Amino acid sequence: MASAILEVRDLRKSFGALAATDGVSFELREGETHAIIGPNGAGKTTLISQLAGNLRPDSGHIRFAGEDVTHLSAPARAHKGFARSFQITSIYRDFTALDNVALAVQAHAGHSFRFWKPAREERSLREPARAMLEEVGLGARADVLAANLAHGEQRQLEVAMALATRPRLLLLDEPVAGMGLEESQRMVQFLRNLKGKRSIILVEHDMDAVFTLADRVSVLVYGRIIASGSPQEMRASPEVRRAYLGEEA
Amino acid sequence: MNWILLFEQALNGLQLGTTLFLMAAGLTLVFGIMNLVNLAHGSLYMIGAYLMVAAVQWTGSYPLSILLALLGTLAVGMLVEVIALRTLYERDHLDQVLATFGLILFFNELVAIIWGRTALFTALPPYLQGHIEIVPGSIFPLYRLVVIFVGLAVAAGLWYVVARTRLGMLVRAGASNRTMVAALGVNIRLLYTIVFGFGAALAGLAGLMAGPIYAVQPGMGELILIQVFVVIVIGGIGSIRGALVGALVVGMVDTMGRAFLKPLLGHFISPPAAEAAGPALASMLIYLLMAVVLALRPAGLFPAKSG
Amino acid sequence: MRARTLILGVCVLLLLLVPLLATWIGQTYYIDLVRRVMIFAIAAVSLNLILGYGGLVSFGHAAYLGVGGYSVGILAFYGIHNGWLQWGVAILASALVALAIGAISVRTRGIYFIMITLAFTQMLYYLGISVEEYGGDDGMRLKVKSQFSGLVDLADPVTFYYVVLVLLLSCMYFVHRLVGSRFGMVLRAAKSNEARSRAIGFSPYPYHLAAFVIAGAMCGLAGALLANHTAYIAPAFMDWTRSGEIMFMVILGGMATTPGPALGAFALLVVEDLLAGWTQHWQVILGPLLVLCVLFFKRGLAGLLPGSKDG
C-alpha cells in the first residue's frame, strides 16, 4: 500500500483570539489527491500556507516523507519537493511566461551564484520550461509578458511553475478560481492527468473539479476538519451539507 | 567617580531623550498608520525653531511666541500634507523617500534665504534662565529641566489619549492594521490629516524648545532626524511606547557615551589611544546599539504591527 | 532596438571626444566636469544594481564613496601611493563594510531597511568626523595621486579622464552581464515577487547580500576615483544628502536599465551646475523639481529612449 507522504498532526494557528487552524490532522498517501473544501473563512488558505512554509503554526507537526518539516522555511520545503500555487495569482508579472517557468526550473537546477552567462541562453533551463508551457497549453504564449496574459492563462502559468520544479507534493490553492467554464474544464483535465503521479492537496470551491480529481475529500469548517472520506461519502453526508450549505445560507 | 557629573549627564540624557521622543512619537505614528516615510519631519522641527525665533523678535512675548510657532508649524505641516504628501500615501517607500528628500532641500534653502545660514540664538525670558540646585553641589540649567518636564507631560498626555480615548483606539488599531480600520468605515482622510498634524505639532514643539539649547540653523532637522530613526528602529514602528523607551535609551546612551566613554577607556588603554578612539566610539555608540537590537529583535522592541 | 543602440553609441562617441573638443575650444574645465559626472555615474550604476534591479532602497550608499576615498587617502597619508594597492584596498574595504552593514540590514524590509542604511552611513560619517588624525570634519588632502608604476599618469587630466571612462563603461557592462545571469535573474525575481520566489525555492537573503556587497565594492572604486579627482577626502563624501543625490540619479535616469544611471548622473549634475551658476540658492529650485520628478516622471530618461522595455 502506498505510504503516507505527508502527515499533519494537530496543527494549530491563531490570530489573536481567532483560531484559524484548530487542531487539524490528516495523512496524505503518496499519489493521492486530497481535496479540502469548506465555506469561506474556514481557514483553507491558512492551512495551505502552513503546509507550504509561509506561515508558522503555533503548535502541531508536519512530516514529509518521514521527515519533520514543521520549522522548515518555504524555500527549504521547495527543495524537499513541495510546490505551491497561490489563490491570488502570484507570478512574475514583468517577465515573460517562458522566463517565469525558466526561473522555476532554475531554482532546482544547481546553484544560482553564476554571474556572467546569460540565463536566457541556457538551454538546460529554457527547453524544459518551453516543454512545460506546451504541456499546460501555453506554448504559443511563451514570449508574452505575464502581465499581458489573460486571467485564465495566468492561472495556467501558476500551475506550470509549480510543476516545473518537479515536485513530489503539490499544494494547489483554488487553481481554477476565476476561470471560465472551458478553461477550468481544460485545467481539470490537465490536473487529472497528474493523478497518481504526484501527491496533491487541492483547495477548491468548484465542486466539479473536486469530484473529478479527488480521491479523498475533507471538509474544513472554522479551522477544524469535521468530516473526511471519499467524494461520494461527502456528497451524501447530511452533516457536510449542513456545515457547508447551512452556513452559507 | 564623580557622582555629581554622572547625575548631571543623566539629566542631559533625559533631556535629549524627551526631545527625541517628541520627534519620534509623531514620526512613528505616521509610519505606522499611513505607511509614509517622511524625511521632511526634521524640517518641521527646524521650522518650529525658526518660527519661534521670528515670533519672539516680532512680539517680544515668550508665551505668545510659543503659540504662534506651534500654530505656524501646524499650518506648514498641513499644507505640505495636502499639497505634496497626499499623493504619496499610495506610492512605494522609494517614492516617498525621494519626494520628502526633495522637500528637505527646499526647506533648508528656504530658511537660508529668509534667515541666512549663520546660526541664530534665541533669548530666554528671565523666568526661564538661570540654574537650579537639585542636589547639593549640582546646579543644572532651569530651562533644561523645563524641557524635560514638558516632554514627560506630553508623553503622559499621549499615553492618555492613545490608551483611553476613542481617537487613541483608532490610532492604535490603525497602527496595527490599516486596511481594517478603513474597512470599518472610519474617515481615513481625516484620521490621516489629524495624525499628521499632530506629529507636525510635536515636531514643532521639539524644535521651538530646542532652539535655545542647540543651534538654530539650516540642516538642524536632519541632524536630529537620524537619531530619531535610530529611536524608531529600536523602539519598533507604530508604537508610542516603543518611541518613549527608544528615545530615553538613545538619549541616555548617546549623552553618557560622549561624556564618559573617553575617561572610561582611559582606564583600560593608554590615554592617547583613548583620546583618539573615545570620541569616535562614542559617536558610533547608538548605531552599534541599534545593530545589536536589530540582530536580536528585527522588528524593534515594541512593534505595533502584528503579522 | 536599433535606434536605441545607435543613440547610445553616439553618446559613447561623444564621451570619447570630450577631451579633444574641450581642448580645441580652450575650455578644459569641461574635461573635469564630465569626469566628475562619470565618477558619480559609476556610483549610480552600482546603486542601480541593488535599487533598480534588486528593489533594496538603500539610503546609505554614499558611505562607500567615503570608504573608498579614505582608503586612498589614508594609505597616501602613510606614504603608500601605489594605485593598485590603494584601489584594491578601496574595493576590498568597501566590500567588507557592505558585508557587515548588509548582513544586518538586508534581513529587514521596507521602512526599516531605509532607516537602517541611513543610520549606518551616518555612523561612518561621525566616525570620519571624530578621527582627528585624518582631518576630522575638514578632511584630508591628497597630495599625490594614485601611482600606477608608469602605466598611466593620473596627474594628466586627459589620461585620468579616459581611465574613468573605461572604468565606467566596464562597470556598466559588468552590471549588464550580471543582471542577465542566473544571479541577476534571481535578484530581479525577488524584487518582482518575493513570495513566488520563496515558493519555488529561492531564499532572497544570500542574493540580496551578495548584490549589496558587489554594489558597495563598485561604489568604493568610485570613491577612490573621486578622491583622486578632487584631491581631497572629507566626511562630506558620506553625507546622507549625497546618498539622496545618487538615488535621484538612478531614478531620474531610469531604474533597472543599463544606460539609466549614467543618463541620470549627467542630467542631475548638469542641472545642478546650471542652477548653481544662476543662483546660490539653487537647492530651493532643485528640491521641488525632484519632488515633481518623483510624482510625474517615474520611468526616467531611459524610458524616453526608443525601444525601451525591461531588458
Side-chain angles (χ1 to χ4, degrees), chain B residues 91 95 97 109 222 237 280 299, chain C residues 59 112 130 240 281 295 298:
Chain B
R91 302 285 207 111
D95 289 357
V97 159
E109 207 56 41
E222 286 67 71
I237 286 183
Chain C
F59 212 130
Y112 282 111
S130 56
W240 69 304
H281 295 296
L295 293 180
K298 270 313 288 290

Side-chain angles (χ1 to χ4, degrees), chain B residues 228-253:
Chain B
V228 175
F229 282 171
V230 174
V231 166
I232 291 180
V233 169
I234 291 179
I237 286 183
S239 153
I240 300 278
R241 184 172 22 150
L244 186 58
V245 170
L248 292 176
V249 166
V250 170
M252 284 296 196
V253 168

Side-chain angles (χ1 to χ4, degrees), chain B residues 248-268:
Chain B
L248 292 176
V249 166
V250 170
M252 284 296 196
V253 168
D254 192 56
T255 308
M256 305 290 250
R258 284 178 199 281
F260 298 115
L261 194 61
K262 195 170 69 181
L264 202 64
L265 277 181
H267 286 300
F268 299 106

Side-chain angles (χ1 to χ4, degrees), chain B residues 102 105-106, chain C residues 245 268 271-272 275 281-291:
Chain B
L105 295 183
F106 173 70
Chain C
E245 272 192 276
L268 186 65
V271 165
E272 275 185 13
L275 286 178
H281 295 296
W282 53 276
Q283 287 195 341
V284 86
I285 301 171
L286 187 67
L289 268 183
L290 295 180
V291 176

Side-chain angles (χ1 to χ4, degrees), chain B residues 15-25 224 227-228 231 243 246-247 250-251:
Chain B
Q15 179 261 303
L16 175 59
T18 52
T19 304
L20 288 175
F21 169 70
L22 290 175
M23 292 289 285
I224 199 167
Q227 289 178 307
V228 175
V231 166
V250 170

Side-chain angles (χ1 to χ4, degrees), chain B residues 1 30 35 53 82 104-105 118 134 138 148 258 265 291 298:
Chain B
M1 165 91 314
V30 167
N35 207 16
V53 170
V82 169
I104 291 178
L105 295 183
T118 44
I134 311 172
S138 158
I148 293 176
R258 284 178 199 281
L265 277 181

Side-chain angles (χ1 to χ4, degrees), chain B residues 172-255:
Chain B
R172 268 182 298 143
S176 61
N177 194 328
R178 204 175 345 114
T179 31
M180 189 128 87
V181 171
L184 289 173
V186 173
N187 185 344
I188 277 296
R189 275 244 161 132
L190 189 58
L191 184 65
Y192 281 12
T193 306
I194 291 176
V195 171
F196 191 84
F198 197 54
L202 285 177
L205 178 63
L208 71 91
M209 287 203 299
I213 303 176
Y214 311 107
V216 178
Q217 60 191 15
M220 64 186 283
E222 286 67 71
L223 293 176
I224 199 167
L225 190 67
I226 311 249
Q227 289 178 307
V228 175
F229 282 171
V230 174
V231 166
I232 291 180
V233 169
I234 291 179
I237 286 183
S239 153
I240 300 278
R241 184 172 22 150
L244 186 58
V245 170
L248 292 176
V249 166
V250 170
M252 284 296 196
V253 168
D254 192 56
T255 308

